[in-house]
Amino acid sequence: MTQEDDWDRDLLLDPAWEKQQRKTFTAWCNSHLRKAGTQIENIEEDFRNGLKLMLLLEVISGERLPKPDKGKMRFHKIANVNKALDFIASKGVKLVSIGAEETSAKEGLLLWCQRKTAPYRNVNVQNFHISWKDGLALCALIHRHRPDLIDYSKLRKDDPIGNLNTAFEVAEKFLDIPKMLDAEDIVNTPKPDEKAIMTYVSCFYHAFAGAEQAETAANRICKVLAVNQENERLMEEYEKLASELLEWIRRTIPWLENRVAEQTMRAMQQKLEDFRDYRRVHKPPRVQEKCQLEINFNTLQTKLRLSNRPAFMPSEGKMVSDIANAWKGLEQVEKGYEEWLLTEIRRLERLDHLAEKFKQKCNLHEAWTAGKEDLLTQKDYESASLMEIRALMRKHEAFESDLAAHQDRVEQIAAIAQELNELDYHDAATINARCQGICDQWDNLGTLTQKRRDALERVEKLWETIDQLYLEFAKRAAPFNNWMDGATEDLQDMFIVHSIEEIQSLITAHDQFKATLPEADKERMATMGIQNEILKIAQTYGIKLSGINPYTNLSPQDITNKWETVKHLVPLRDQMLQEELARQQANERLRRQFAAQANIIGPWIQTKMEEIGHVSVDISGSLEEQMNNLKQYEQNIINYKSNIDKLEGDHQLIQEALIFDNKHTNYTMEHIRVGWEQLLTTIARTINEVENQILTRDAKGISQEQLNEFRASFNHFDRKRNGMMDPDDFRACLISMGYDLGEVEFARIMTLVDPNNTGVVTFQAFIDFMTRETAETDTAEQVMASFKILASDKPYITVDELRRELPPEQAEYCITRMTKYIGTDIPPGALDYISFSSALYGESDL
């Protein structure tokens, strides 16, 4: 036999035990009878006629028993007792022995006590006798539900009587639980009476049951309100982010649409720098914001569906599709802006070059025409000798030949001015004025030349003698002089090239020119030989020369000086061409450097896009494994950003060098930028899709096997492998899963899976549809029932009740949103929780 068996045997033989049992049961009965305004003093006597026993059963059960017999005869009393016993029997309660039902009730009550007292020190409830001797278990029960009634931290395990009396007094005074036990009897008994303690503890269970029910109701309401508050926060956050993004797009588009070119190269290059800052600094955060906005929207819609709330409808103009359309508009105006900038810079570069060339040619021409009008208006032929007249005629012929040679230069000047006008040069007025002055002067020179020729021809027949040597010198010197003038001009001519081939072509032409110099030198020597022959004849025959060739203004010194000029300009031209060759070689290195990186980065981005697509449709692993793989891809992508930045740096060097083509790669910086942004957006969206699948799975109890089955079905009908099904493919998918679809039913399903009428069904929408009807979510009816508990079954709830039963934040949330309850005989401040509960699951105001 165990010690407990010995204790039970001793109790049955102890008169005090029977007294304790009677006392406990009497107190327990009175705890219920006083609700009916009565009580008992002696169990045997007061229950003898059956009246108070029937009343006790009515209080406990909340039901009406048969009407009692009013007589005082013994058979009347027996009839009433039998009515009570029959009612007990009708409830399935056995009045003898202890069956499985009673054992289950005992175990349930013990488990409840253990769960409630588990957090408390020095409490270990294992039974309904010695575990309660020190009083700490009773105090813990009270403190767990009403911490305001007992300061548990001040209780001592070595003061069992004090602890028990504290529990008894507090229970009687504040919990309406009568004192059924004596502290001394419990402490001084080796094994306190189990049934007595069970009876007393059950009073605590019933006392706190209502509180627990209210706590459960409050917890449900708090959970529902927390979901609504979080959803509203996400809605407000979406609205704010959408507004900010749309406002940024609205401000940016006019800037990109402004294609009014600046008048100077420096101003246009600043525009290019501003655009570069926009693409590298200002736009990337907005790309992330747009992506995050879509992720937030999808997550919010998933949470709303999981919590049985209607879909979120943003304010007018702030739908995801609105954002996408606005973004598309931004990219449409952005497209071609950089190309326009570079075209304008190229145009301005050519304008500046043409303007310089115009000024150079004008300066040369104006220097040549200086004094020519005065020369042509001279009448020196009126008093000239025969030889002088002939000399003047030949001299004029040489001038006409020279004038004709300059006709091309005047036409070049006019052509450059015309091109500057067509290209809208900013100082076109000055160019036109100067060009018009040259043309007018040229016309006047032509008129004067013809007048002088006419005058000389009238007297030409009067002259017959010609100085052959001077004439020959003049004939040789004039073309050679023109050749040197042309060579000098060509050697000083400005050039603009954009490739190695172009500069090499100029170098080849220059080398060809240099190859003609020996022949030119021979011509120079021959011309100078004529002059030497003139001097020799003059010296031989003692002829006194005036030193002036009557047939030309060109002197031997002029020929020498111009030849020296040509020889001086040749090495300078060599140096200039070699410097340009070096610059073009450097540009070619920049092209190859950019191409080497772009040809790696471009395929890398495409490969990553394909790998992400494979991971997102892989059904071999769990969602968590997919998430881990995707986040590893995301980290690898983020780590790769330095390569993009380096390529941006090389691209900037290429633009600063005014390089406009690159035959070594098919990838432009814009291609790389677009691909990079799409990659970042794709990995973020894919991660969000998996996160939403996890949310759906966890909230709706979907197994991994079910998800894999859904994914396999979806992948099979995802014909384009883009993560979406067309309506026809979706219909086929449903049919394959056993759905019998008519047109009306299919149209209804499409409104669920494609509320924005995009014409496609995403995997997340497919998952939501497949699990929507089996999900266990809270409902408006459940929330109403919870409020009804807090309101003590009233159809309204007061402000005080809300503040008493709910945390401050949730209470104020309800108070500010509930409408006033309309009815008669209601207290001030009564609120309508029914319409509020319905509104929680209705359309959002946001």
Side-chain angles (χ1 to χ4, degrees):
M1 294 181 65
T2 63
Q3 186 179 20
E4 287 198 15
D5 291 334
D6 292 338
W7 285 341
D8 291 341
R9 183 194 60 201
D10 294 341
L11 282 174
L12 292 173
L13 299 175
D14 186 1
W17 173 81
E18 183 179 350
K19 178 181 178 183
Q20 178 65 53
Q21 287 285 304
R22 186 180 289 108
K23 177 181 179 181
T24 301
F25 186 64
T26 301
W28 179 83
C29 290
N30 285 332
S31 69
H32 293 289
L33 287 172
R34 62 183 166 188
K35 296 175 183 177
T38 186
Q39 64 178 15
I40 62 173
E41 297 293 338
N42 184 285
I43 295 176
E44 292 86 345
E45 297 297 329
D46 293 341
F47 279 165
R48 188 179 298 276
N49 60 9
L51 294 177
K52 288 190 177 181
L53 180 59
M54 293 178 68
L55 183 60
L56 174 64
L57 292 175
E58 286 186 345
V59 172
I60 293 173
S61 67
E63 298 182 22
R64 297 291 295 179
L65 270 68
K67 189 174 181 181
D69 292 355
K70 296 295 186 178
K72 295 183 180 181
M73 301 297 290
R74 185 170 182 271
F75 72 87
H76 292 129
K77 297 177 182 179
I78 293 174
N80 289 335
V81 170
N82 284 334
K83 290 178 182 179
L85 295 176
D86 289 342
F87 178 79
I88 294 173
S90 71
K91 299 302 179 183
V93 178
K94 297 179 180 179
L95 298 178
V96 294
S97 182
I98 297 179
E101 295 84 354
E102 290 79 6
T103 301
S104 297
K106 175 183 176 182
E107 290 177 354
L109 181 61
L110 183 63
L111 183 61
W112 179 79
C113 294
Q114 290 172 340
R115 181 163 50 85
K116 292 299 182 180
T117 61
Y120 291 86
R121 59 181 176 82
N122 297 326
V123 177
N124 184 17
V125 176
Q126 298 297 325
N127 49 55
F128 283 110
H129 40 81
I130 60 174
S131 295
W132 304 83
K133 286 187 67 171
D134 58 13
L136 291 177
L138 283 173
C139 290
L141 272 182
I142 297 172
H143 185 269
R144 179 63 182 270
H145 295 90
R146 291 290 303 273
D148 57 309
L149 300 180
I150 291 180
D151 187 351
Y152 189 83
S153 64
K154 293 183 178 180
L155 301 179
R156 304 196 321 273
K157 189 173 180 61
D158 59 359
D159 184 19
I161 291 179
N163 297 337
L164 287 167
N165 284 328
T166 297
F168 296 156
E169 292 169 4
V170 169
E172 188 167 36
K173 182 177 180 181
F174 296 102
L175 304 178
D176 199 26
I177 298 175
K179 184 178 180 182
M180 302 180 186
L181 306 170
D182 289 324
E184 289 77 6
D185 292 342
I186 294 175
V187 173
N188 296 328
T189 304
K191 179 187 176 185
D193 180 59
E194 186 176 52
K195 290 185 177 179
I197 291 180
M198 257 184 71
T199 301
Y200 186 61
V201 171
S202 67
C203 292
F204 285 90
Y205 175 82
H206 292 295
F208 293 135
E212 289 197 354
Q213 188 181 24
E215 180 182 352
T216 301
N219 288 338
R220 176 183 291 276
I221 290 171
C222 287
K223 180 181 178 182
V224 170
L225 295 181
V227 169
N228 265 65
Q229 288 173 300
E230 174 63 13
N231 289 343
E232 289 180 5
R233 183 189 67 77
L234 291 175
M235 293 175 193
E236 292 171 357
E237 185 177 296
Y238 175 90
E239 290 282 326
K240 179 175 180 295
L241 190 58
S243 298
E244 291 174 353
L245 184 56
L246 287 171
E247 175 60 21
W248 179 80
I249 293 173
R250 186 192 65 77
R251 294 197 312 269
T252 304
I253 285 179
W255 175 65
L256 292 172
E257 288 178 333
N258 181 13
R259 303 293 172 91
V260 178
E262 301 291 342
Q263 294 185 345
T264 66
M265 172 76 80
R266 184 172 182 180
M268 286 304 296
Q269 286 177 329
Q270 182 60 49
K271 273 184 174 288
L272 180 61
E273 185 63 28
D274 293 342
F275 180 73
R276 186 181 298 122
D277 287 342
Y278 158 77
R279 289 296 279 113
R280 297 183 60 185
V281 178
H282 301 296
K283 186 182 178 185
R286 301 298 181 176
V287 173
Q288 295 176 3
E289 287 180 9
K290 175 178 175 290
C291 179
Q292 190 61 47
L293 193 70
E294 295 172 0
I295 288 173
N296 290 354
F297 182 83
N298 292 335
T299 299
L300 173 59
Q301 298 295 43
T302 298
K303 288 185 174 183
L304 289 170
R305 286 192 292 268
L306 294 178
S307 59
N308 200 27
R309 305 308 198 273
F312 168 52
M313 292 296 294
S315 301
E316 184 177 356
K318 296 179 184 176
M319 292 286 293
V320 170
S321 57
D322 296 325
I323 305 292
N325 289 335
W327 190 265
K328 183 178 180 182
L330 173 72
E331 293 190 328
Q332 284 177 343
V333 298
E334 179 185 306
K335 185 178 180 181
Y337 184 72
E338 184 176 27
E339 181 180 350
W340 171 76
L341 287 173
L342 294 174
T343 300
E344 283 301 314
I345 288 175
R346 200 175 298 135
R347 185 181 70 83
L348 288 175
E349 180 190 29
R350 175 161 180 77
L351 280 176
D352 289 346
H353 172 75
L354 288 175
E356 273 308 308
K357 193 168 187 176
F358 177 83
K359 293 174 184 177
Q360 184 186 51
K361 289 188 177 293
C362 285
N363 290 339
L364 291 173
H365 179 77
E366 288 168 350
W368 180 83
T369 58
K372 293 294 191 292
E373 291 181 349
D374 293 339
L375 180 65
L376 290 173
T377 55
Q378 288 180 359
K379 296 185 178 181
D380 48 356
Y381 54 83
E382 293 180 352
S383 59
S385 65
L386 179 61
M387 290 293 292
E388 290 171 338
I389 286 296
R390 288 181 173 176
L392 288 175
M393 187 62 190
R394 301 299 179 265
K395 185 175 180 180
H396 187 70
E397 289 175 351
F399 174 78
E400 285 181 322
S401 177
D402 204 7
L403 186 69
H406 275 272
Q407 177 68 33
D408 288 342
R409 293 172 186 169
V410 174
E411 291 175 356
Q412 288 178 17
I413 291 172
I416 293 173
Q418 177 65 24
E419 187 171 359
L420 285 170
N421 275 307
E422 291 173 354
L423 293 175
D424 196 19
Y425 185 61
H426 66 89
D427 199 14
T430 301
I431 296 292
N432 290 336
R434 190 170 185 183
C435 181
Q436 187 62 46
I438 287 173
C439 291
D440 291 344
Q441 183 191 40
W442 186 255
D443 292 341
N444 190 41
L445 282 176
T447 301
L448 293 176
T449 299
Q450 185 61 42
K451 286 182 178 180
R452 186 168 178 82
R453 164 172 276 282
D454 292 344
L456 290 173
E457 285 180 348
R458 285 194 301 267
V459 295
E460 182 182 11
K461 295 179 181 180
L462 300 174
W463 312 103
E464 295 178 352
T465 307
I466 184 170
D467 188 336
Q468 290 297 328
L469 291 176
Y470 271 134
L471 180 59
E472 187 176 351
F473 177 87
K475 287 182 178 181
R476 281 183 173 272
F480 185 63
N481 178 68
N482 285 333
W483 177 87
M484 287 191 296
D485 284 345
T488 299
E489 183 174 348
D490 290 341
L491 289 170
Q492 292 177 319
D493 198 11
M494 298 175 65
F495 59 84
I496 176 173
V497 296
H498 294 97
S499 68
I500 290 179
E501 289 77 14
E502 290 177 350
I503 188 61
Q504 287 176 337
S505 177
L506 289 178
I507 291 174
T508 299
H510 183 62
D511 290 341
Q512 291 172 350
F513 166 76
K514 289 192 294 184
T516 66
L517 289 179
E519 287 299 322
D521 193 32
K522 289 180 183 179
E523 181 66 19
R524 181 186 67 82
M525 294 294 293
T527 303
M528 296 303 291
I530 294 172
Q531 180 64 24
N532 291 335
E533 187 176 354
I534 291 173
L535 294 175
K536 183 178 180 182
I537 293 172
Q539 185 179 7
T540 301
Y541 296 102
I543 298 173
K544 186 177 181 181
L545 300 173
S546 64
I548 300 175
N549 190 323
Y551 304 111
T552 181
N553 287 329
L554 291 171
S555 68
Q557 189 61 44
D558 291 334
I559 299 295
T560 299
N561 290 342
K562 289 189 177 185
W563 179 252
E564 291 299 322
T565 298
V566 170
K567 290 198 299 181
H568 174 70
L569 289 175
V570 167
L572 293 180
R573 186 72 168 184
D574 280 331
Q575 179 181 355
M576 184 183 304
L577 291 171
Q578 290 302 318
E579 288 175 353
E580 181 60 30
L581 176 62
R583 190 173 78 86
Q584 290 303 325
Q585 289 171 338
N587 287 353
E588 184 66 9
R589 286 194 294 274
L590 288 177
R591 289 187 182 96
R592 291 180 181 274
Q593 180 176 326
F594 177 87
Q597 294 185 83
N599 290 337
I600 293 173
I601 292 174
W604 183 89
I605 290 174
Q606 182 61 35
T607 299
K608 289 300 173 187
M609 289 286 285
E610 294 172 357
E611 290 175 353
I612 291 168
H614 292 154
V615 172
S616 65
V617 300
D618 184 16
I619 62 174
S620 60
S622 67
L623 290 176
E624 283 74 13
E625 289 172 337
Q626 288 185 38
M627 178 68 73
N628 289 335
N629 289 339
L630 287 170
K631 288 194 173 179
Q632 288 177 5
Y633 274 105
E634 183 180 43
Q635 189 58 50
N636 291 339
I637 291 169
I638 292 172
N639 293 340
Y640 200 75
K641 179 65 163 57
S642 59
N643 296 293
I644 306 296
D645 293 338
K646 185 176 185 303
L647 191 66
E648 283 282 7
D650 290 343
H651 179 62
Q652 181 172 344
L653 293 177
I654 282 179
Q655 286 191 332
E656 290 172 352
L658 297 178
I659 299 172
F660 305 113
D661 59 352
N662 194 339
K663 65 183 179 182
H664 305 296
T665 180
N666 292 324
Y667 294 100
T668 66
M669 194 65 233
E670 183 60 25
H671 291 149
I672 299 297
R673 288 169 183 158
V674 171
W676 178 252
E677 291 171 1
Q678 289 178 344
L679 181 60
L680 291 176
T681 300
T682 298
I683 186 65
R685 285 174 177 167
T686 306
I687 288 174
N688 178 246
E689 178 184 338
V690 177
E691 287 174 340
N692 285 338
Q693 290 177 33
I694 291 174
L695 277 175
T696 303
R697 180 199 65 190
D698 294 343
K700 300 185 177 182
I702 307 173
S703 67
Q704 187 64 46
E705 290 73 17
Q706 286 177 300
L707 275 177
N708 290 346
E709 182 182 348
F710 292 155
R711 170 59 81 182
S713 298
F714 185 89
N715 289 347
H716 180 77
F717 290 97
D718 179 11
R719 315 285 189 189
K720 298 178 182 178
R721 295 296 182 265
N722 61 355
M724 293 176 285
M725 286 190 291
D726 293 337
D728 290 342
D729 291 333
F730 177 54
R731 179 195 293 271
C733 181
L734 292 179
I735 292 173
S736 73
M737 301 179 75
Y739 280 80
D740 183 14
L741 295 173
E743 290 299 327
V744 175
E745 175 62 10
F746 182 69
R748 183 190 70 81
I749 293 175
M750 282 302 298
T751 62
L752 297 176
V753 297
D754 185 21
N756 292 325
N757 199 25
T758 60
V760 294
V761 179
T762 66
F763 180 66
Q764 183 61 44
F766 177 68
I767 287 289
D768 288 338
F769 171 75
M770 295 303 299
T771 58
R772 187 184 304 273
E773 296 180 359
T774 59
E776 293 184 2
T777 57
D778 53 274
T779 64
E781 290 73 19
Q782 291 174 329
V783 176
M784 290 179 198
S786 297
F787 273 117
K788 187 175 182 181
I789 292 172
L790 298 187
S792 300
D793 290 339
K794 300 189 300 295
Y796 59 84
I797 192 167
T798 66
V799 171
D800 290 340
E801 287 172 332
L802 286 171
R803 288 176 174 161
R804 182 179 69 244
E805 300 293 347
L806 298 180
E809 183 181 352
Q810 277 76 18
E812 296 306 316
Y813 181 88
C814 294
I815 293 169
T816 56
R817 286 166 172 75
M818 283 186 180
T819 59
K820 183 179 179 182
Y821 182 80
I822 305 301
T824 58
D825 298 329
I826 57 171
L831 301 174
D832 184 355
Y833 63 78
I834 295 177
S835 61
F836 173 75
S837 299
S838 298
L840 288 177
Y841 295 84
E843 292 295 331
S844 169
D845 292 334
L846 290 175

